[in-house]
Amino acid sequence: MADEKARLLVVEDDLDLSDMLNAYFTTQDYEVKTAAWGAEALKIAADEAISLVILDIRLPDINGYEVCRQLRAQRRTQSTPIIFLTEKRDRVDKLQGLELGVVDYITKPFDIQELRLRVRNAIQRAAQQALTNPITELPEAPLVDEKLNHLVLAEHDWSVILVRIDGLDTLRERYGFVAADELLRAVTLMIRNAARDDGNEDDFIGHLDPSEFVIITTAEKSAAIRARIETRIRQSIEHFYRPNERESDTPSDFLKLHTGMIERGTTEYKDADAIKTALMATVTPSEKLKE
């Protein structure tokens, strides 16, 4: 939503207060959605991309704590900032909200300017966190593009390695989100260890997308890093299949490894996209990770 207005969801059954917040934040250049019921808020959050939720604890159907729990249980809203808006001042209530992942807590009556600043700061913090993959904690595409653009003008010899794991969607459908996340974390650890053991201290690791990793290193280190990563992934990948699929006469083979690599050499690249296009052209054919 970089080129769009931030979208707020105000969940408040006091219609006068809801209308006031709607009018105020609209004048502050936000897009505002309102809901008077918890179930209505959950439907809006499931259907639309929400930048931040202002959530009253006391609602007519389900309380704000339950709304918060359900928002945190959905991947789309698990990291969406939530500010509790309530008349309660009890420390236990505040701790309960913080345990659920609420980023802030403001009590009525409140200063609207203070709420505006808290909303702005929470959205800015979330935007910074969005540059990092929440599962692997590696930089995402915007930061990767920045690093690749720096290579265009670099005078030293460099190399970029691509590591891609195909079959994550199938793994997620068969075994669930937890298994897919565990695979990504395991692959991340293998890549980090390879870069640490065979690379340089300032090598860069990031994502082109959740299933694609890039490693920026020096030309002299790249072959060893790539070989170490390929070996470790092949040795470990069968542990992410269920035992019955590992031992079957016709084992599953939906997880596949692809790698590619380019070096600076004599080729001139005009930007990050040119580097990525060249890198994709070197990717190895689909290779089963489990025989």
Side-chain angles (χ1 to χ4, degrees), residues 27-46:
T27 65
Q28 298 298 311
D29 206 30
Y30 291 93
E31 181 180 342
V32 182
K33 299 288 182 179
T34 61
W37 299 73
E40 179 186 6
L42 292 170
K43 184 178 186 308
I44 292 172

Side-chain angles (χ1 to χ4, degrees), residues 132-274:
T132 302
N133 185 286
I135 299 168
T136 67
E137 299 182 350
L138 292 175
E140 291 273 24
L143 294 178
V144 173
D145 283 351
E146 182 179 317
K147 288 288 187 180
L148 294 177
N149 278 320
H150 288 165
L151 296 181
V152 174
L153 301 176
E155 297 183 356
H156 65 276
D157 288 335
W158 51 260
S159 183
V160 183
I161 306 166
L162 173 73
V163 176
R164 184 170 78 219
I165 304 294
D166 278 354
L168 275 176
D169 289 342
T170 302
L171 180 71
R172 194 175 291 111
E173 290 171 2
R174 293 190 183 191
Y175 303 164
F177 284 104
V178 173
D181 291 351
E182 287 180 351
L183 173 62
L184 281 175
R185 292 191 186 99
V187 170
T188 299
L189 181 60
M190 295 176 210
I191 292 173
R192 285 187 187 276
N193 288 343
R196 180 198 63 202
D197 295 341
D198 293 310
N200 308 285
E201 186 176 345
D202 57 350
D203 285 347
F204 174 84
I205 305 169
H207 284 282
L208 292 181
D209 71 26
S211 63
E212 288 184 336
F213 300 80
V214 292
I215 304 96
I216 299 176
T217 183
T218 55
E220 64 176 349
K221 301 285 189 178
S222 57
I225 294 174
R226 181 182 184 181
R228 173 71 68 92
I229 291 170
E230 290 176 343
T231 299
R232 290 298 308 277
I233 291 177
R234 291 195 190 98
Q235 289 174 341
S236 306
I237 206 70
E238 71 172 25
H239 299 295
F240 291 93
Y241 290 92
R242 286 175 176 158
N244 63 314
E245 292 188 321
R246 293 201 300 264
E247 298 164 5
S248 170
D249 292 335
T250 57
S252 295
D253 60 359
F254 56 84
L255 291 173
K256 297 179 175 65
L257 170 68
H258 306 260
T259 65
M261 187 171 69
I262 61 171
E263 297 180 356
R264 180 184 177 217
T266 58
T267 304
E268 292 186 3
Y269 301 97
K270 65 178 183 178
D271 55 24
D273 286 339

